[in-house]
């Protein structure tokens, strides 16, 4: 795909506007078609209940993803409307298993930054964790990385866990506090996976408190946490 060439004197901005409207209409239609298909075939589906394995089952899914990638490749995020932005984030949330859109966004940092800033305000859980996990790899020279703190308060356990992983790469000096909060807090109950991530981060950043939490982990009633601590002890 490449940016379409528009010929004709004085056509520039007006033609670009028309093309953007065409892209937006195509995308919205494909999103609506996918939603109708999903409702017919998986009526129990919701943002909170999405296995993410749409690609082999739905031609509508493929059309939606194609249209999103076409927009990313051929338009500027500065011209994205609220509807287009919402439809793209909806598609990213459905594409969490394949990650085709996020892979494409890695080559378009302006689009990545634009969508990442808007994602925390939506209800698209599977889009949030993808941005939280990938933010550590963002190469733009803007202040986007501060968005990680919004993902750390997302209210979704997996998103917050992925955000803590990224925080250890982005803000090393703040990672210890958040990791300990993850371990000690009761936001999601006695969550084993949350403690595993907290321990991994404390050890990754060589926190002086890591040994204390390793000792707690090896005595934990949680099998996965104990096994993870034992593996870390072999290397730490």
């Amino acid at each position: 795909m490449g940016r379409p060439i528009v010929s004709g004197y004085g056509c520039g901005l007006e033609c670009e506007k028309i093309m953007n409207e065409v892209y937006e209409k195509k995308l919205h239609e494909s999103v609506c078609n996918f939603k109708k298909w999903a409702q017919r075939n998986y009526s129990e589906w919701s943002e909170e209940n999405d296995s993410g394995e749409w690609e082999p089952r739905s031609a509508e899914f493929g059309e939606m993803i194609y249209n999103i990638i076409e927009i990313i490749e051929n338009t500027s995020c500065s011209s994205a409307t609220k509807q287009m932005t919402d439809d793209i984030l909806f598609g990213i949330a459905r594409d969490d298993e394949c990650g085709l859109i996020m892979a494409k966004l890695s080559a378009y940092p302006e689009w990545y930054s634009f969508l990442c800033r808007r994602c925390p305000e939506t209800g698209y859980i599977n889009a949030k964790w993808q941005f939280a996990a990938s933010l550590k790899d963002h190469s733009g020279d803007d202040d986007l990385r501060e968005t990680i703190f919004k993902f750390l308060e997302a209210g979704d356990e997996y998103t917050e866990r992925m955000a803590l992983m990224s925080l250890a790469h982005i803000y090393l000096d703040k990672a210890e506090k958040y990791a300990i909060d993850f371990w000690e807090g009761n936001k999601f109950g006695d969550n084993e996976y949350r403690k595993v991530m907290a321990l991994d981060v404390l050890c990754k950043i060589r926190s002086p408190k890591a040994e204390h939490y390793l000792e707690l982990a090896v005595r934990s009633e949680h099998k996965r946490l104990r096994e993870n601590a034992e593996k870390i002890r072999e290397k730490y």
Side-chain angles (χ1 to χ4, degrees):
M1 303 175 193
R3 184 178 294 276
I5 299 174
V6 179
S7 60
Y9 177 77
C11 189
L13 292 176
E14 185 60 31
C15 287
E16 185 173 349
K17 180 182 177 182
I18 293 171
M19 288 303 298
N20 287 342
E21 290 173 354
V22 171
Y23 285 130
E24 180 176 12
K25 184 173 184 293
K26 279 177 61 182
L27 173 58
H28 192 59
E29 286 177 353
S30 65
V31 168
C32 290
N33 288 337
F34 172 81
K35 288 179 177 179
K36 290 175 183 176
W37 176 88
Q39 187 60 36
R40 285 196 310 268
N41 293 275
Y42 300 93
S43 58
E44 74 285 359
W45 168 84
S46 68
E47 291 296 329
E48 294 77 22
N49 180 30
D50 179 3
S51 68
E53 299 177 354
W54 298 107
E55 185 182 36
R57 299 179 285 183
S58 170
E60 289 81 359
F61 171 85
E63 182 69 16
M64 177 175 65
I65 301 306
Y66 175 87
N67 288 333
I68 290 171
I69 290 176
E70 188 176 41
I71 285 171
I72 292 168
E73 290 184 334
N74 294 299
T75 74
S76 167
C77 60
S78 63
S79 62
T81 64
K82 185 176 183 298
Q83 182 66 69
M84 180 187 285
T85 303
D86 188 74
D87 284 343
I88 293 174
L89 289 170
F90 174 86
I92 291 173
R94 307 290 73 78
D95 184 38
D96 67 313
E97 186 73 16
C98 301
L100 299 172
I101 302 172
M102 293 302 290
K104 176 58 64 176
L105 286 173
S106 65
Y108 293 83
E110 290 184 1
W111 263 111
Y112 179 93
S113 179
F114 173 80
L115 293 167
C116 185
R117 291 179 193 280
R118 283 152 183 78
C119 189
E121 311 308 321
T122 73
Y124 298 134
I125 297 169
N126 284 345
K128 289 180 184 180
W129 75 253
Q130 290 181 76
F131 280 109
S134 61
L135 193 52
K136 66 183 184 301
D137 302 315
H138 177 63
S139 58
D141 58 0
D142 53 17
D143 60 354
L144 179 66
R145 290 188 168 193
E146 293 180 7
T147 310
I148 197 65
F149 296 105
K150 292 186 177 181
F151 291 117
L152 281 163
E153 302 296 335
D156 169 64
E157 196 281 319
Y158 190 64
T159 298
E160 292 186 11
R161 201 173 351 132
M162 294 300 99
L164 179 61
M165 177 182 68
S166 283
L167 186 70
H169 294 265
I170 299 172
Y171 294 110
L172 195 66
D173 59 323
K174 299 182 186 299
E176 181 184 81
K177 174 188 179 300
Y178 277 91
I180 292 172
D181 287 347
F182 265 47
W183 184 290
E184 302 289 353
N186 197 38
K187 186 174 182 179
F188 297 96
D190 185 20
N191 189 291
E192 179 179 15
Y193 294 99
R194 203 167 173 85
K195 289 184 175 181
V196 167
M197 180 61 76
L199 185 61
D200 283 347
V201 166
L202 289 170
C203 293
K204 175 181 175 55
I205 65 174
R206 297 289 176 177
S207 165
K209 298 181 180 180
E211 184 58 39
H212 168 68
Y213 287 97
L214 269 170
E215 188 61 32
L216 292 179
V218 295
R219 300 201 309 265
S220 171
E221 62 183 16
H222 297 301
K223 180 180 178 182
R224 187 182 299 271
L225 184 56
R226 289 198 311 272
E227 291 176 346
N228 189 61
E230 289 164 2
K231 288 179 181 178
I232 290 174
R233 273 263 170 90
E234 293 174 1
K235 303 176 183 177
Y236 194 64

